[in-house]
Amino acid sequence: MNLQEALKKKIGFGTAPLGNMFRDVPEEEAINTIQSAWDHGIRYFDTAPFYGFGLAEMRLEKVLSAYPREEYVLSSKVGRIVSEETEDKEGLFEHARKNKIIHDYTEDGTLKSIEDSLTRLKTDYLDFVFVHDISPDFHGDEWITKFDEARKGAFRTLSRLRDEGVIKSWGLGVNTTTPIELAMQLEDDVRPDLCLSATQYTLMQHEGALEKMMPLAQRKNMEFVIGSPYNSGALLGGEHFDYAEITDDKKAHVEKLRKVADEHNVSLKAAALQFSTAHPAVKAVIPGSTRPGRIKEDLAAMDEQIPQAFWKDLLDRKLISAKAPLPK
C-alpha cells in the first residue's frame, strides 16, 4: 500500500501516548485503542523506540501482526537504542519500561535501531524512518554535534536505504523547526524527503513554521507528517502544552480559540486537524490517543463542515497567521 492509499483522509495514528506517556495505560486499553484505529480505517501508524522504551512498538505489533503487512503503512524512528540495562525513569515516560536508552545517530546505530524496531514490531520492513529528536529541546547546546553525527551516519544510511528501495522515505522527527530547515539545505544525496514535524504546525502554533520551514519545504519538494496537532492536548483542555505543564498564557490562548469556535458551532478538534492538513506540503496528521472512542471522533472531525466565517474571524482576531493556507 502506498502513502496516498493509506492516507485518503490525510490522517494516521501516533502511538506516543501508548508508550505510557504521562500515565500508566492499561494494556487492554492500549490494545483496544489500536484496534479501534484499524477498525475505523486508519492504515498509517507511526511509532518510535522512545515511546515507552519499546513499549509502543510492542503494543502496536499485538494488533497489526494479525493483518497482511501490505495493507498498512508503518513508520518508526532512529537515534535511540533500547538497551537491556535498566534504570529508574522520570519525565514523559516515567511509567514506561525501565530499559536504558542509548543515543546513537551513527550508521551502525541507525541499522541497529531499525533491526530492533523490526524485531519488536515483528515485521520485515518499515515504510518511513525518521531521525528522532536531533534538536535543542532534547540535546541543548550539543544538538549541533548530534546533528553532524546524524548527517554523517543516519542521513547517509537512510538515503542509501531509500535509493535501494528498502524504505520509501526518510526525514527528521523533531519538535522544533531549525533542524528540519538545516537538513533541507544539505546536498542532494543526504536530503530528507518526508519529515515529521510535531507541535510546530498546529492551530495554536504555526507562525514560526510559516516563516521559513514550510516555504522552504515547498521549494525543495519535501513533505510533512504533522504530529501532536493538539499540542499535547492543550487545545482540547489538557494539562500539557508541548509535553510540559501548560502555562496560564497558553490556557488563555486556548480560551480565545474556543470562544470563536463556540460562536460558529465548530469543534476545536475539527479546526485543529483541518488547519494542519490544509497546507499543501502536509501529507498527513497523526493525532495520538489512549482512548478507543477518540479515533471515531478524530475521523468525524476531519469531515466536519467548518464555515469560512470561522476562519475569517480567527484571521480578524489575529489568532491565526495570514500566511497560513486555510481549509476550503
Side-chain angles (χ1 to χ4, degrees):
M1 175 176 288
N2 61 37
L3 181 60
Q4 184 176 0
E5 292 171 337
L7 298 174
K8 289 179 180 178
K9 289 183 175 291
K10 299 187 76 170
I11 186 168
F13 181 69
T15 63
L18 299 181
N20 285 359
M21 187 167 66
F22 300 132
R23 72 182 182 96
D24 189 357
V25 181
E27 185 76 2
E28 183 178 7
E29 183 179 342
I31 299 305
N32 287 343
T33 301
I34 301 167
Q35 188 64 58
S36 178
W38 182 273
D39 291 345
H40 283 91
I42 298 291
R43 293 296 181 267
Y44 171 38
F45 299 85
D46 175 75
T47 190
F50 183 50
Y51 302 158
F53 316 114
L55 181 60
E57 290 182 322
M58 294 161 70
R59 284 174 162 173
L60 196 56
E61 178 275 328
K62 289 183 178 180
V63 175
L64 295 187
S65 60
Y67 302 101
R69 179 63 182 84
E70 65 274 12
E71 289 190 5
Y72 60 91
V73 170
L74 184 61
S75 61
S76 193
K77 304 179 182 72
V78 297
R80 294 182 176 94
I81 296 172
V82 181
S83 75
E84 293 302 316
E85 186 179 347
T86 60
E87 62 183 2
D88 291 334
K89 298 292 185 180
E90 58 183 18
L92 281 180
F93 294 107
E94 64 178 298
H95 301 291
R97 300 169 77 219
K98 301 298 184 183
N99 299 67
K100 186 177 181 179
I101 285 288
I102 300 168
H103 289 89
D104 191 335
Y105 296 99
T106 65
E107 177 180 3
D108 288 345
T110 297
L111 294 174
K112 169 65 173 169
S113 180
I114 291 174
E115 180 183 353
D116 289 350
S117 287
L118 293 177
T119 298
R120 286 188 291 269
L121 290 161
K122 295 184 182 177
T123 187
D124 295 331
Y125 65 96
L126 299 172
D127 295 283
F128 315 132
V129 178
F130 300 115
V131 184
H132 210 184
D133 292 330
I134 37 172
S135 182
D137 55 327
F138 274 92
H139 296 292
D141 292 341
E142 292 295 310
W143 85 268
I144 288 291
T145 300
K146 295 293 185 183
F147 187 95
D148 194 52
E149 180 181 288
R151 180 181 61 82
K152 297 173 181 175
F155 292 9
R156 293 195 179 281
T157 303
L158 295 174
S159 293
R160 174 172 55 80
L161 293 178
R162 180 183 59 193
D163 292 345
E164 293 172 354
V166 176
I167 61 175
K168 292 184 177 73
S169 295
W170 76 271
L172 280 63
V174 291
N175 307 319
T176 60
T177 61
T178 303
I180 293 176
E181 293 165 359
L182 185 58
M184 282 191 286
Q185 297 176 77
L186 295 175
E187 55 270 29
D188 289 343
D189 62 334
V190 290
R191 189 181 298 162
D193 60 299
L194 178 71
C195 283
L196 197 167
S197 176
T199 74
Q200 296 301 301
Y201 195 73
T202 69
L203 187 66
M204 286 189 72
Q205 182 168 255
H206 53 270
E207 289 85 354
L210 285 168
E211 285 300 318
K212 184 175 181 181
M213 184 177 77
M214 301 306 269
L216 185 59
Q218 288 184 279
R219 292 199 297 272
K220 299 288 187 178
N221 294 316
M222 199 196 76
E223 298 175 320
F224 286 99
V225 172
I226 300 300
S228 195
Y230 314 131
N231 292 95
S232 301
L235 191 70
L236 306 181
E239 293 303 313
H240 296 90
F241 176 84
D242 289 6
Y243 311 110
E245 186 176 347
I246 193 170
T247 59
D248 288 341
D249 65 315
K250 295 302 179 185
K251 288 182 179 179
H253 185 182
V254 172
E255 285 310 307
K256 290 177 182 178
L257 290 167
R258 190 183 310 282
K259 184 175 184 295
V260 180
D262 288 345
E263 290 172 4
H264 292 273
N265 196 29
V266 169
S267 74
L268 277 181
K269 176 174 280 194
L273 295 180
Q274 293 187 35
F275 176 86
S276 290
T277 53
H279 197 288
V282 173
K283 300 306 293 182
V285 63
I286 49 169
S289 179
T290 60
R291 313 287 188 185
R294 297 285 165 77
I295 308 301
K296 186 176 181 179
E297 290 178 10
D298 288 344
L299 289 168
M302 289 292 287
D303 291 331
E304 183 176 320
Q305 296 296 310
I306 299 179
Q308 288 300 304
F310 166 74
W311 301 112
K312 184 178 185 304
D313 264 5
L314 291 183
L315 285 168
D316 291 345
R317 302 184 200 196
K318 301 189 185 306
L319 290 172
I320 56 174
S321 171
K323 297 179 181 179
L326 298 176
K328 295 290 190 294

